[in-house]
Amino acid sequence: MTAKASESSESSGSVVRLSGVDKVFTRGDQVVTTALEGIDLSIARGEFISLIGPSGCGKSTLLRVIADLIEPTAGEVIVNGKPAAQARRDRDYGMVFQAPVLMDWRTVEDNVKLPLEIMGWDRARRTARAREMLHLVELDEFLGHRPFQLSGGMQQRVAIARALSFEPAILLMDEPFGALGEMTRERMNSEVLRIWEQTGTTIVFVTHSIPEAVFLSSRVVVMSPRPGRITKIVDVDLPRPRDILTRETQRYFQLVTEVREALRAGGALTTGDDELDAGGASETRTLAEGAIG
Amino acid sequence: MSAAAIPGRGRPGSAAGRWSRRIRFYLPAILVFVGGIVLWELVIRAANVSQFILPRPSGILDALRENWVGTRFPLFVSAVQTLKEALGGLLIGTVAGVLVAFAIARWVTARNVLLPVAIAVNAIPLIALAPLINAWFGLLNEMSKMVMAAVLVVFPVMANVTRGLVQVEPGALELMRSYAASEWTILRKVRVPNALPFFFTAMKIATTLALIGAVVGEYYGGQNKVLGRIIVESAAGLRFETTWAAIVLVAIAGISLYVIAVLAERVVIPWATTLEAERG
């Protein structure tokens, strides 16, 4: 069955395929939350996919199901042509969390080397790759620093370098810039796009920022809370390469509105959702809410 | 993005600058210390306080010099012996504490069984056991003093190291899981380095406790050429200047052990001191 699933995912060219995935959190015999319900999603190789939704919609849970950090209650998760657990053991993905999770006792360079050490790379290759990755995220000068000596944005770039150091097929990012200020976030967005274009890695990106999702993605997966479901997938046909000016085009605003309306239709923007960063045209949001009320 | 743009990561200054900063930082403390001793000397002289109540610093110094070797209270060999007992106890207690901490961190059952017991035991003034430990391990055997010291040391070491091994950032464990890292790898790459600052915090407490254990153990009897016995016997013989001389040596030993622990911390985990400085 595994072999068949793997074949079909290869033939369809998808690097992540979820079918009928449910995740129910229980305490004892009681169902506490239905975090995910009936998730079907197929992600093609080289895609940049954003998962967006309000807090509690299960987007982070979904990312962890792909990463085999959380086991789904039901459904099938195929990652890089194999069951998610096998993909994790094969180190098929790199992960970036909201917190950079850097080790204070290691220098920046040694933090990037951490996965390579675990995977048994020899010393010379580790050093060469760590420097190459730090060059990619433009932190060459800081390789001897300690993580706590860097700014938040720089720390997150180290985390990205670390996640990409072993050339995983997939990069999973869980609200990586959620803790950063707006200016740094926009700069990091451009940075991630550049890295994505240079490396060709498939990226699955969890965010609650509509502008961020639209700017980065090839497709935006809109989720709704309680139970967490996919309500809409918005194709983002903005031309690439994208830059700051992309954020000022007509089409960009249309797509931002489309994602926002999808969120609203899914019930995301009706319940006083403070976490959801609607950004851009906030007037539209107010009008939309007024219309519902 | 230039290096200078990041707050709190300025290059350390020149060696000369560092030293002058250090002197300026410690100078007030040194002045207060020296001034206090001078004041002590002067007040005792002026008020004509009897040495039974409080001897003059110069009198204590004389007692130190006179009893350094060869008298009824040979301070030097006694200090060496007491230090040996304290260090022996420190070693035994630290090794035992660290081993138990690893067991507690590794096995949930061990945690559930040992941790409540340890916390309860830690709340007992264990020093009360000194006469019993002397009886169990032999009054004249230095091992009885080492065990007293070890008993005081083992619990703070165990508690701190356990915390360091267990209280790991949850994200770090998720990260390691994403690398399909084994428990052994997680222990080596995350838990042990995470526990090191906790270990050194424990050591700073433990050095003092080891010395307390050794000296109090000696109070309850044993061979004579140890600081604890000198303190007890010279006081009984009303030779308070000698008593004070022995107390000064215990104090110097305690401070020295503490300083060694601090220096060891700086050598082994230099990043932790930097981190503290940047956060402070």
Side-chain angles (χ1 to χ4, degrees), chain A residues 16-263:
Chain A
V16 175
R17 202 165 52 78
L18 302 140
S19 31
V21 170
D22 295 345
K23 176 64 196 177
V24 179
F25 287 107
T26 51
R27 192 183 297 128
D29 291 339
Q30 269 188 314
V31 172
V32 179
T33 350
T34 305
L36 297 171
E37 193 177 80
I39 302 290
D40 296 308
L41 180 65
S42 187
I43 300 172
R45 200 167 289 278
E47 249 194 304
F48 197 128
I49 289 275
S50 285
L51 307 177
I52 192 167
S55 295
C57 74
K59 55 193 192 296
S60 284
T61 305
L62 182 55
L63 197 74
R64 279 170 172 72
V65 165
I66 296 171
D68 186 44
L69 296 175
I70 292 177
E71 217 177 315
T73 314
E76 193 186 32
V77 184
I78 301 296
V79 176
N80 215 20
K82 46 200 146 184
Q86 188 57 44
R88 178 171 68 85
R89 282 194 290 274
D90 291 349
R91 285 97 177 210
D92 282 341
Y93 68 83
M95 189 136 184
V96 177
F97 301 90
Q98 178 164 7
V101 202
L102 301 173
M103 317 289 167
D104 285 333
W105 52 85
R106 287 170 169 260
T107 60
V108 164
E109 184 182 358
D110 287 344
N111 266 287
V112 177
K113 285 179 186 167
L114 174 70
L116 308 179
E117 284 168 24
I118 293 168
M119 293 167 200
W121 289 35
D122 66 58
R123 192 176 292 268
R125 263 182 90 209
R126 287 203 302 255
T127 307
R129 174 54 59 82
R131 304 220 160 157
E132 188 188 321
M133 295 321 293
L134 285 169
H135 181 70
L136 179 72
V137 297
E138 293 168 350
L139 286 175
D140 315 63
E141 314 169 45
F142 296 96
L143 50 86
H145 284 72
R146 298 283 167 176
F148 52 83
Q149 295 173 312
L150 306 184
S151 68
M154 293 163 92
Q155 289 182 14
Q156 208 52 288
R157 272 148 66 194
V158 177
I160 293 169
R162 179 181 60 190
L164 290 173
S165 63
F166 51 97
E167 293 189 322
I170 307 155
L171 182 59
L172 303 177
M173 305 181 85
D174 186 15
E175 296 188 38
F177 312 133
L180 303 180
E182 193 59 33
M183 310 283 268
T184 317
R185 175 190 282 230
E186 286 196 4
R187 209 167 49 235
M188 293 299 294
N189 286 167
S190 303
E191 186 96 344
V192 161
L193 272 191
R194 180 180 63 76
I195 290 167
W196 174 67
E197 275 153 17
Q198 273 178 35
T199 58
T201 314
T202 309
I203 297 185
V204 185
F205 190 99
V206 167
T207 180
H208 56 237
S209 161
I210 299 170
E212 184 171 70
V214 171
F215 178 69
L216 293 173
S217 312
S218 43
R219 284 189 297 159
V220 177
V221 175
V222 180
M223 297 182 67
S224 75
R226 287 171 285 271
R229 283 173 290 116
I230 295 177
T231 49
K232 190 172 185 183
I233 297 179
V234 177
D235 276 303
V236 180
D237 49 11
L238 293 167
R240 297 191 188 268
R242 297 175 189 168
D243 55 25
I244 308 164
L245 294 177
T246 309
R247 292 186 193 265
E248 289 165 16
T249 59
Q250 189 64 34
R251 183 64 189 140
Y252 172 79
F253 284 113
Q254 280 171 1
L255 286 161
V256 166
T257 306
E258 195 180 333
V259 171
R260 183 179 302 109
E261 276 171 0
L263 283 162

Side-chain angles (χ1 to χ4, degrees), chain B residues 33 207-208 211 248-262:
Chain B
F33 180 75
T207 49
T208 314
L211 213 53
V248 166
L249 288 181
V250 174
I252 291 172
I255 292 167
S256 306
L257 289 181
Y258 180 86
V259 168
I260 289 169
V262 171

